[in-house]
PDB file of all heavy atoms in Angstrom:
ATOM      1  N   LEU A1597      13.274   8.244  42.555  1.00 92.00           N
ATOM      2  CA  LEU A1597      14.119   7.166  43.201  1.00 92.00           C
ATOM      3  C   LEU A1597      15.155   7.780  44.137  1.00 92.00           C
ATOM      4  O   LEU A1597      15.301   7.323  45.212  1.00 92.00           O
ATOM      5  CB  LEU A1597      14.848   6.439  42.077  1.00 92.00           C
ATOM      6  CG  LEU A1597      15.831   5.344  42.488  1.00 92.00           C
ATOM      7  CD1 LEU A1597      15.096   4.263  43.272  1.00 92.00           C
ATOM      8  CD2 LEU A1597      16.498   4.766  41.344  1.00 92.00           C
ATOM      9  N   HIS A1598      15.715   8.959  43.721  1.00 90.00           N
ATOM     10  CA  HIS A1598      16.670   9.602  44.580  1.00 90.00           C
ATOM     11  C   HIS A1598      16.002  10.103  45.804  1.00 90.00           C
ATOM     12  O   HIS A1598      16.539   9.960  46.932  1.00 90.00           O
ATOM     13  CB  HIS A1598      17.277  10.834  43.753  1.00 90.00           C
ATOM     14  CG  HIS A1598      18.046  11.760  44.691  1.00 90.00           C
ATOM     15  ND1 HIS A1598      19.313  11.490  45.117  1.00 90.00           N
ATOM     16  CD2 HIS A1598      17.663  12.955  45.253  1.00 90.00           C
ATOM     17  CE1 HIS A1598      19.683  12.492  45.910  1.00 90.00           C
ATOM     18  NE2 HIS A1598      18.782  13.380  45.975  1.00 90.00           N
ATOM     19  N   LEU A1599      14.785  10.691  45.729  1.00 89.00           N
ATOM     20  CA  LEU A1599      14.125  11.175  46.910  1.00 89.00           C
ATOM     21  C   LEU A1599      13.779  10.027  47.840  1.00 89.00           C
ATOM     22  O   LEU A1599      13.920  10.175  49.084  1.00 89.00           O
ATOM     23  CB  LEU A1599      12.841  11.918  46.543  1.00 89.00           C
ATOM     24  CG  LEU A1599      13.031  13.207  45.767  1.00 89.00           C
ATOM     25  CD1 LEU A1599      11.677  13.892  45.549  1.00 89.00           C
ATOM     26  CD2 LEU A1599      13.971  14.161  46.383  1.00 89.00           C
ATOM     27  N   LEU A1600      13.350   8.974  47.272  1.00 88.00           N
ATOM     28  CA  LEU A1600      12.938   7.775  48.073  1.00 88.00           C
ATOM     29  C   LEU A1600      14.169   7.230  48.876  1.00 88.00           C
ATOM     30  O   LEU A1600      14.065   6.881  50.019  1.00 88.00           O
ATOM     31  CB  LEU A1600      12.412   6.669  47.176  1.00 88.00           C
ATOM     32  CG  LEU A1600      11.648   5.517  47.930  1.00 88.00           C
ATOM     33  CD1 LEU A1600      10.475   6.067  48.661  1.00 88.00           C
ATOM     34  CD2 LEU A1600      11.229   4.476  46.871  1.00 88.00           C
ATOM     35  N   LEU A1601      15.267   7.081  48.135  1.00 85.00           N
ATOM     36  CA  LEU A1601      16.511   6.623  48.857  1.00 85.00           C
ATOM     37  C   LEU A1601      16.985   7.529  49.893  1.00 85.00           C
ATOM     38  O   LEU A1601      17.435   7.195  50.978  1.00 85.00           O
ATOM     39  CB  LEU A1601      17.594   6.449  47.799  1.00 85.00           C
ATOM     40  CG  LEU A1601      17.368   5.266  46.759  1.00 85.00           C
ATOM     41  CD1 LEU A1601      18.528   5.217  45.791  1.00 85.00           C
ATOM     42  CD2 LEU A1601      17.246   3.898  47.469  1.00 85.00           C
ATOM     43  N   LYS A1602      16.812   8.837  49.660  1.00 83.00           N
ATOM     44  CA  LYS A1602      17.222   9.868  50.657  1.00 83.00           C
ATOM     45  C   LYS A1602      16.312   9.878  51.866  1.00 83.00           C
ATOM     46  O   LYS A1602      16.750  10.050  53.002  1.00 83.00           O
ATOM     47  CB  LYS A1602      17.281  11.238  49.959  1.00 83.00           C
ATOM     48  CG  LYS A1602      18.140  12.225  50.788  1.00 83.00           C
ATOM     49  CD  LYS A1602      18.434  13.450  49.937  1.00 83.00           C
ATOM     50  CE  LYS A1602      19.434  14.343  50.690  1.00 83.00           C
ATOM     51  NZ  LYS A1602      19.835  15.546  49.873  1.00 83.00           N
ATOM     52  N   LEU A1603      15.033   9.615  51.613  1.00 82.00           N
ATOM     53  CA  LEU A1603      14.043   9.490  52.723  1.00 82.00           C
ATOM     54  C   LEU A1603      14.512   8.437  53.699  1.00 82.00           C
ATOM     55  O   LEU A1603      14.446   8.615  54.889  1.00 82.00           O
ATOM     56  CB  LEU A1603      12.669   9.245  52.131  1.00 82.00           C
ATOM     57  CG  LEU A1603      11.675  10.399  52.010  1.00 82.00           C
ATOM     58  CD1 LEU A1603      10.402   9.892  51.396  1.00 82.00           C
ATOM     59  CD2 LEU A1603      11.394  11.087  53.328  1.00 82.00           C
ATOM     60  N   PHE A1604      14.866   7.268  53.207  1.00 79.00           N
ATOM     61  CA  PHE A1604      15.222   6.139  53.991  1.00 79.00           C
ATOM     62  C   PHE A1604      16.709   6.004  54.273  1.00 79.00           C
ATOM     63  O   PHE A1604      17.245   4.994  54.732  1.00 79.00           O
ATOM     64  CB  PHE A1604      14.662   4.857  53.379  1.00 79.00           C
ATOM     65  CG  PHE A1604      13.170   4.799  53.321  1.00 79.00           C
ATOM     66  CD1 PHE A1604      12.438   5.085  52.194  1.00 79.00           C
ATOM     67  CD2 PHE A1604      12.442   4.525  54.500  1.00 79.00           C
ATOM     68  CE1 PHE A1604      11.054   5.077  52.154  1.00 79.00           C
ATOM     69  CE2 PHE A1604      11.070   4.434  54.492  1.00 79.00           C
ATOM     70  CZ  PHE A1604      10.360   4.714  53.308  1.00 79.00           C
ATOM     71  N   ARG A1605      17.449   7.044  53.870  1.00 73.00           N
ATOM     72  CA  ARG A1605      18.903   7.178  54.094  1.00 73.00           C
ATOM     73  C   ARG A1605      19.684   5.938  53.532  1.00 73.00           C
ATOM     74  O   ARG A1605      20.507   5.290  54.168  1.00 73.00           O
ATOM     75  CB  ARG A1605      19.172   7.212  55.600  1.00 73.00           C
ATOM     76  CG  ARG A1605      18.449   8.359  56.374  1.00 73.00           C
ATOM     77  CD  ARG A1605      18.683   8.268  57.832  1.00 73.00           C
ATOM     78  NE  ARG A1605      17.837   9.263  58.564  1.00 73.00           N
ATOM     79  CZ  ARG A1605      17.696   9.230  59.809  1.00 73.00           C
ATOM     80  NH1 ARG A1605      18.314   8.374  60.534  1.00 73.00           N
ATOM     81  NH2 ARG A1605      16.955  10.194  60.414  1.00 73.00           N
ATOM     82  N   PHE A1606      19.347   5.666  52.291  1.00 72.00           N
ATOM     83  CA  PHE A1606      20.085   4.624  51.553  1.00 72.00           C
ATOM     84  C   PHE A1606      21.070   5.123  50.578  1.00 72.00           C
ATOM     85  O   PHE A1606      21.448   4.459  49.632  1.00 72.00           O
ATOM     86  CB  PHE A1606      19.043   3.711  50.842  1.00 72.00           C
ATOM     87  CG  PHE A1606      18.272   2.879  51.777  1.00 72.00           C
ATOM     88  CD1 PHE A1606      16.977   2.449  51.430  1.00 72.00           C
ATOM     89  CD2 PHE A1606      18.822   2.469  52.988  1.00 72.00           C
ATOM     90  CE1 PHE A1606      16.207   1.700  52.337  1.00 72.00           C
ATOM     91  CE2 PHE A1606      18.086   1.630  53.832  1.00 72.00           C
ATOM     92  CZ  PHE A1606      16.799   1.286  53.528  1.00 72.00           C
ATOM     93  N   LEU A1607      21.470   6.401  50.678  1.00 66.00           N
ATOM     94  CA  LEU A1607      22.341   7.014  49.702  1.00 66.00           C
ATOM     95  C   LEU A1607      23.769   6.670  49.981  1.00 66.00           C
ATOM     96  O   LEU A1607      24.609   7.428  50.429  1.00 66.00           O
ATOM     97  CB  LEU A1607      22.223   8.539  49.659  1.00 66.00           C
ATOM     98  CG  LEU A1607      20.869   9.080  49.088  1.00 66.00           C
ATOM     99  CD1 LEU A1607      20.909  10.573  49.171  1.00 66.00           C
ATOM    100  CD2 LEU A1607      20.721   8.630  47.658  1.00 66.00           C
ATOM    101  N   HIS A1608      24.083   5.392  49.805  1.00 65.00           N
ATOM    102  CA  HIS A1608      25.434   4.866  50.073  1.00 65.00           C
ATOM    103  C   HIS A1608      26.292   5.042  48.818  1.00 65.00           C
ATOM    104  O   HIS A1608      25.808   5.083  47.697  1.00 65.00           O
ATOM    105  CB  HIS A1608      25.403   3.391  50.524  1.00 65.00           C
ATOM    106  CG  HIS A1608      24.625   3.177  51.795  1.00 65.00           C
ATOM    107  ND1 HIS A1608      25.077   3.579  53.005  1.00 65.00           N
ATOM    108  CD2 HIS A1608      23.380   2.625  51.916  1.00 65.00           C
ATOM    109  CE1 HIS A1608      24.202   3.214  53.935  1.00 65.00           C
ATOM    110  NE2 HIS A1608      23.148   2.708  53.368  1.00 65.00           N
ATOM    111  N   GLY A1609      27.623   4.991  48.969  1.00 68.00           N
ATOM    112  CA  GLY A1609      28.499   5.035  47.894  1.00 68.00           C
ATOM    113  C   GLY A1609      28.837   6.468  47.474  1.00 68.00           C
ATOM    114  O   GLY A1609      28.262   7.455  47.853  1.00 68.00           O
ATOM    115  N   LYS A1610      29.770   6.558  46.462  1.00 80.00           N
ATOM    116  CA  LYS A1610      30.148   7.855  45.961  1.00 80.00           C
ATOM    117  C   LYS A1610      29.098   8.396  44.982  1.00 80.00           C
ATOM    118  O   LYS A1610      28.297   7.668  44.359  1.00 80.00           O
ATOM    119  CB  LYS A1610      31.522   7.675  45.251  1.00 80.00           C
ATOM    120  CG  LYS A1610      32.607   7.359  46.185  1.00 80.00           C
ATOM    121  CD  LYS A1610      34.025   7.217  45.430  1.00 80.00           C
ATOM    122  CE  LYS A1610      35.105   6.790  46.366  1.00 80.00           C
ATOM    123  NZ  LYS A1610      36.377   6.745  45.605  1.00 80.00           N
ATOM    124  N   ARG A1611      29.201   9.682  44.772  1.00 82.00           N
ATOM    125  CA  ARG A1611      28.209  10.365  43.843  1.00 82.00           C
ATOM    126  C   ARG A1611      28.347   9.774  42.473  1.00 82.00           C
ATOM    127  O   ARG A1611      27.291   9.673  41.812  1.00 82.00           O
ATOM    128  CB  ARG A1611      28.452  11.871  43.947  1.00 82.00           C
ATOM    129  CG  ARG A1611      27.470  12.640  42.990  1.00 82.00           C
ATOM    130  CD  ARG A1611      27.734  14.093  43.016  1.00 82.00           C
ATOM    131  NE  ARG A1611      27.481  14.717  44.290  1.00 82.00           N
ATOM    132  CZ  ARG A1611      28.334  15.209  45.082  1.00 82.00           C
ATOM    133  NH1 ARG A1611      29.631  15.103  44.815  1.00 82.00           N
ATOM    134  NH2 ARG A1611      27.946  15.721  46.257  1.00 82.00           N
ATOM    135  N   THR A1612      29.509   9.525  41.953  1.00 85.00           N
ATOM    136  CA  THR A1612      29.659   8.986  40.646  1.00 85.00           C
ATOM    137  C   THR A1612      28.891   7.718  40.419  1.00 85.00           C
ATOM    138  O   THR A1612      28.317   7.478  39.385  1.00 85.00           O
ATOM    139  CB  THR A1612      31.132   8.801  40.270  1.00 85.00           C
ATOM    140  OG1 THR A1612      31.759   7.943  41.304  1.00 85.00           O
ATOM    141  CG2 THR A1612      31.931  10.144  40.260  1.00 85.00           C
ATOM    142  N   LYS A1613      28.892   6.792  41.467  1.00 87.00           N
ATOM    143  CA  LYS A1613      28.199   5.571  41.348  1.00 87.00           C
ATOM    144  C   LYS A1613      26.721   5.809  41.338  1.00 87.00           C
ATOM    145  O   LYS A1613      25.965   5.179  40.602  1.00 87.00           O
ATOM    146  CB  LYS A1613      28.614   4.618  42.438  1.00 87.00           C
ATOM    147  CG  LYS A1613      30.068   4.147  42.402  1.00 87.00           C
ATOM    148  CD  LYS A1613      30.353   3.194  43.529  1.00 87.00           C
ATOM    149  CE  LYS A1613      31.800   2.648  43.408  1.00 87.00           C
ATOM    150  NZ  LYS A1613      32.093   1.692  44.522  1.00 87.00           N
ATOM    151  N   ARG A1614      26.280   6.655  42.189  1.00 88.00           N
ATOM    152  CA  ARG A1614      24.835   6.992  42.291  1.00 88.00           C
ATOM    153  C   ARG A1614      24.369   7.617  40.946  1.00 88.00           C
ATOM    154  O   ARG A1614      23.302   7.275  40.419  1.00 88.00           O
ATOM    155  CB  ARG A1614      24.525   7.990  43.423  1.00 88.00           C
ATOM    156  CG  ARG A1614      24.882   7.451  44.780  1.00 88.00           C
ATOM    157  CD  ARG A1614      24.145   8.244  45.889  1.00 88.00           C
ATOM    158  NE  ARG A1614      24.415   9.692  45.787  1.00 88.00           N
ATOM    159  CZ  ARG A1614      25.388  10.258  46.447  1.00 88.00           C
ATOM    160  NH1 ARG A1614      26.196   9.557  47.242  1.00 88.00           N
ATOM    161  NH2 ARG A1614      25.551  11.589  46.364  1.00 88.00           N
ATOM    162  N   ARG A1615      25.133   8.507  40.366  1.00 91.00           N
ATOM    163  CA  ARG A1615      24.721   9.081  39.150  1.00 91.00           C
ATOM    164  C   ARG A1615      24.793   8.125  37.964  1.00 91.00           C
ATOM    165  O   ARG A1615      24.004   8.288  37.004  1.00 91.00           O
ATOM    166  CB  ARG A1615      25.543  10.346  38.911  1.00 91.00           C
ATOM    167  CG  ARG A1615      25.251  11.479  39.909  1.00 91.00           C
ATOM    168  CD  ARG A1615      25.785  12.793  39.439  1.00 91.00           C
ATOM    169  NE  ARG A1615      25.370  13.873  40.441  1.00 91.00           N
ATOM    170  CZ  ARG A1615      25.651  15.112  40.303  1.00 91.00           C
ATOM    171  NH1 ARG A1615      26.339  15.537  39.264  1.00 91.00           N
ATOM    172  NH2 ARG A1615      25.187  15.947  41.179  1.00 91.00           N
ATOM    173  N   PHE A1616      25.688   7.163  38.006  1.00 92.00           N
ATOM    174  CA  PHE A1616      25.690   6.123  36.977  1.00 92.00           C
ATOM    175  C   PHE A1616      24.415   5.383  36.983  1.00 92.00           C
ATOM    176  O   PHE A1616      23.779   5.116  35.921  1.00 92.00           O
ATOM    177  CB  PHE A1616      26.884   5.102  37.247  1.00 92.00           C
ATOM    178  CG  PHE A1616      26.884   4.013  36.304  1.00 92.00           C
ATOM    179  CD1 PHE A1616      27.327   4.128  35.027  1.00 92.00           C
ATOM    180  CD2 PHE A1616      26.443   2.768  36.723  1.00 92.00           C
ATOM    181  CE1 PHE A1616      27.350   3.104  34.157  1.00 92.00           C
ATOM    182  CE2 PHE A1616      26.455   1.738  35.836  1.00 92.00           C
ATOM    183  CZ  PHE A1616      26.913   1.766  34.570  1.00 92.00           C
ATOM    184  N   ILE A1617      23.889   5.095  38.185  1.00 91.00           N
ATOM    185  CA  ILE A1617      22.605   4.344  38.304  1.00 91.00           C
ATOM    186  C   ILE A1617      21.464   5.279  37.728  1.00 91.00           C
ATOM    187  O   ILE A1617      20.588   4.787  36.995  1.00 91.00           O
ATOM    188  CB  ILE A1617      22.288   3.980  39.734  1.00 91.00           C
ATOM    189  CG1 ILE A1617      23.315   2.980  40.188  1.00 91.00           C
ATOM    190  CG2 ILE A1617      20.917   3.406  39.852  1.00 91.00           C
ATOM    191  CD1 ILE A1617      23.226   2.683  41.687  1.00 91.00           C
ATOM    192  N   LEU A1618      21.548   6.553  38.049  1.00 94.00           N
ATOM    193  CA  LEU A1618      20.539   7.480  37.506  1.00 94.00           C
ATOM    194  C   LEU A1618      20.585   7.572  35.979  1.00 94.00           C
ATOM    195  O   LEU A1618      19.501   7.594  35.331  1.00 94.00           O
ATOM    196  CB  LEU A1618      20.723   8.839  38.196  1.00 94.00           C
ATOM    197  CG  LEU A1618      20.497   9.003  39.609  1.00 94.00           C
ATOM    198  CD1 LEU A1618      20.796  10.455  40.100  1.00 94.00           C
ATOM    199  CD2 LEU A1618      19.062   8.603  40.065  1.00 94.00           C
TER     200      LEU A1618
END
Side-chain angles (χ1 to χ4, degrees):
L1597 176 63
H1598 167 79
L1599 295 186
L1600 192 62
L1601 293 177
K1602 199 165 188 179
L1603 261 177
F1604 294 100
R1605 303 176 190 170
F1606 289 149
L1607 290 180
H1608 300 286
K1610 297 181 179 179
R1611 180 180 293 110
T1612 53
K1613 292 183 178 179
R1614 298 199 304 267
R1615 292 195 174 182
F1616 174 77
I1617 296 175
L1618 295 178

